[in-house]
Amino acid sequence: VLIVQNTAAERRPRGTCPMVLGWRSGAGKREASVSLFGQEVPLKWVSLVVLIVQNTVLVLAMRISRTSGGELYVASTAVVCAEVVKLVISLICLRGELQENFLSYVMEEVFSSDTLLLAVPGLLYTVQNNLLFVALSNLQAAVYQVTYQLKIITTALMSRLLLGKSLNQNQTASLGLLTVGVALVQLANTSSSGQGPSTGQRPMLGLGCVLVACMTSGFAGVYTEKVIKHGRQVSLFTRNIQLALFGILLGLAGVLVSDLEQVSRNGFFHGYNAMVWFVILTQAGGGLMIAVVMKYADNILKGFATSISIVLSSYLSTMLFDFSLSFLFVVGASIVIGAVFLYGTPPRQRAISSDRERVVLNKGRIAPDDSPKSAGYSRSHVTV
């Protein structure tokens, strides 16, 4: 059981100056933490562990469920089940968050005027989840884990087109490195595709599914961010309920269009076992948990989580799937890890030391350096 709370060693009296009291920068900042077995643990480290476990376990479990032999389940039905689980969990969490007026809130907010805007990301996420099942049916878990980092490129491009965000020098360089690293990994995968348990599978089909999933992931994520920023201000669980509703409806439509004959003949839950249900629960519950803790994880922690997940997936794949680590794969994966870190690292800032270049910035206005006593201004350096 995780009990989330805010802690602070001291509380500064209102209206007092931090420097007078000798406060260090950030000393009075309220820090989110959890209570684990009576010990206070910063939530950012809990979020790191959650991200690593989610990124690693889900990929390996999906790969096992698709290649373990026996009767194979229909992937589209698993996507629908995951959305149903996500809907149930979100409703329970929202009920606990509201305490009262639950039904009226659901009718007013969940079925509000901007709900239809989430039909677009709902459709894209449904397509993406189906594609990932197909990809892991044809690609090794480690290869998939590395290749799926291309979603950073699509997300960056969509952020530029839809939100007008620009890339800094580090981010631009990281996208080039990411492309080179994934290319090396795919080259290593192609050269060894006829070995071991991957025989009979179609690596190019898996690669194509990952590439399309990266594009849908990038567009859906940025589009959802835009809706959240410009739409009604509702809780995270409300948005997840809206997305889950569209996911269920569109997922059932996918079952009817592509797998109706097979489902009618064998049943909706044909081929389900403990591993399949574990994948469904991990995909639904783990995704919601990540959505909660992501606000406590900065870019460096996300980079650590992705890097450790790639290393763990690669190592465990050698044990679970007889996957061999070639030189090209190690080099390509290392480049991808470096690119992920570089993308989340802000560029170094250079202070301008010239006296004439010293300016005072406050409220978006600039005052000359020889007027330090101008009302409302404080001295500082410009950084570029």
Side-chain angles (χ1 to χ4, degrees):
V1 178
L2 303 180
I3 305 174
V4 182
Q5 61 185 14
N6 290 320
T7 61
E10 301 180 59
R11 184 179 300 276
R12 187 175 79 246
R14 295 184 61 183
T16 58
C17 176
M19 296 304 296
V20 172
L21 296 179
W23 282 51
R24 294 178 299 176
S25 176
K29 183 180 180 181
R30 293 172 63 84
E31 182 181 11
S33 64
V34 295
S35 178
L36 294 175
F37 305 105
Q39 299 294 325
E40 296 295 331
V41 181
L43 196 55
K44 64 180 182 179
W45 299 116
V46 177
S47 66
L48 173 64
V49 175
V50 171
L51 289 172
I52 293 173
V53 173
Q54 166 73 7
N55 291 340
T56 305
V57 172
L58 179 60
V59 171
L60 294 175
M62 288 178 68
R63 175 67 178 176
I64 292 173
S65 70
R66 301 299 292 176
T67 60
S68 58
E71 296 290 338
L72 191 63
Y73 62 96
V74 179
S76 59
T77 63
V79 172
V80 174
C81 290
E83 294 298 327
V84 172
V85 173
K86 187 186 300 182
L87 175 63
V88 173
I89 295 176
S90 298
L91 285 171
I92 294 174
C93 293
L94 183 62
R95 179 68 180 88
E97 187 179 76
L98 294 178
Q99 298 296 329
E100 58 184 13
N101 300 325
F102 174 69
L103 292 179
S104 60
Y105 178 88
V106 170
M107 296 304 297
E108 180 180 353
E109 298 294 344
V110 174
F111 300 100
S112 61
S113 57
D114 64 347
T115 300
L116 287 177
L117 296 176
L118 294 176
V120 175
L123 172 62
L124 293 176
Y125 283 133
T126 302
V127 173
Q128 171 190 332
N129 290 333
N130 280 278
L131 289 173
L132 295 184
F133 276 101
V134 178
L136 281 166
S137 300
N138 295 277
L139 288 177
Q140 289 284 357
V143 176
Y144 162 85
Q145 188 80 293
V146 175
T147 307
Y148 195 48
Q149 301 311 311
L150 287 175
K151 64 184 179 181
I152 295 177
I153 297 179
T154 59
T155 302
L157 294 177
M158 293 302 171
S159 296
R160 176 64 177 173
L161 294 175
L162 297 181
L163 301 178
K165 293 183 178 180
S166 59
L167 300 177
N168 58 45
Q169 294 178 350
N170 286 356
Q171 292 173 330
T172 303
S174 70
L175 298 185
L177 290 175
L178 187 63
T179 303
V180 173
V182 171
L184 291 176
V185 169
Q186 287 301 320
L187 183 61
N189 182 55
T190 302
S191 63
S192 61
S193 60
Q195 303 175 5
S198 62
T199 302
Q201 298 178 7
R202 295 177 287 178
M204 294 308 297
L205 174 61
L207 174 61
C209 290
V210 173
L211 294 179
V212 176
C214 287
M215 289 186 286
T216 58
S217 174
F219 181 79
V222 175
Y223 183 90
T224 304
E225 179 183 350
K226 187 173 184 179
V227 171
I228 291 175
K229 285 184 176 180
H230 300 284
R232 297 165 63 94
Q233 297 300 314
V234 296
S235 70
L236 172 68
F237 298 117
T238 302
R239 291 301 184 194
N240 279 307
I241 291 172
Q242 294 170 330
L243 286 172
L245 289 173
F246 284 115
I248 293 171
L249 295 176
L250 296 171
L252 288 174
V255 173
L256 294 177
V257 171
S258 61
D259 300 309
L260 178 60
E261 181 180 354
Q262 186 175 356
V263 171
S264 300
R265 183 175 63 254
N266 299 324
F268 192 88
F269 299 103
H270 176 74
Y272 277 52
N273 53 33
M275 180 57 67
V276 177
W277 285 112
F278 177 76
V279 169
I280 291 172
L281 293 175
T282 304
Q283 187 174 25
L288 287 173
M289 187 177 295
I290 283 182
V292 173
V293 303
M294 279 293 279
K295 63 179 179 180
Y296 300 105
D298 56 19
N299 288 328
I300 296 178
L301 283 180
K302 295 174 188 176
F304 267 116
T306 301
S307 304
I308 296 175
S309 297
I310 291 175
V311 173
L312 287 177
S313 298
S314 302
Y315 174 73
L316 293 175
S317 292
T318 60
M319 302 174 60
L320 298 174
F321 311 114
D322 195 26
F323 173 69
S324 58
L325 293 175
S326 65
F327 176 75
L328 278 179
F329 179 88
V330 173
V331 173
S334 300
I335 293 176
V336 170
I337 291 174
V340 171
F341 269 108
L342 184 61
Y343 188 86
T345 304
R348 297 182 61 182
Q349 295 184 335
R350 177 176 58 86
I352 299 177
S353 58
S354 172
D355 288 340
R356 295 303 303 169
E357 291 175 321
R358 292 192 182 200
V359 295
V360 179
L361 299 177
N362 189 25
K363 301 179 182 178
R365 301 166 61 191
I366 301 179
D369 186 52
D370 56 1
S371 59
K373 295 183 180 180
S374 299
Y377 293 99
S378 59
R379 297 170 62 107
S380 65
H381 282 82
V382 173
T383 57
V384 295

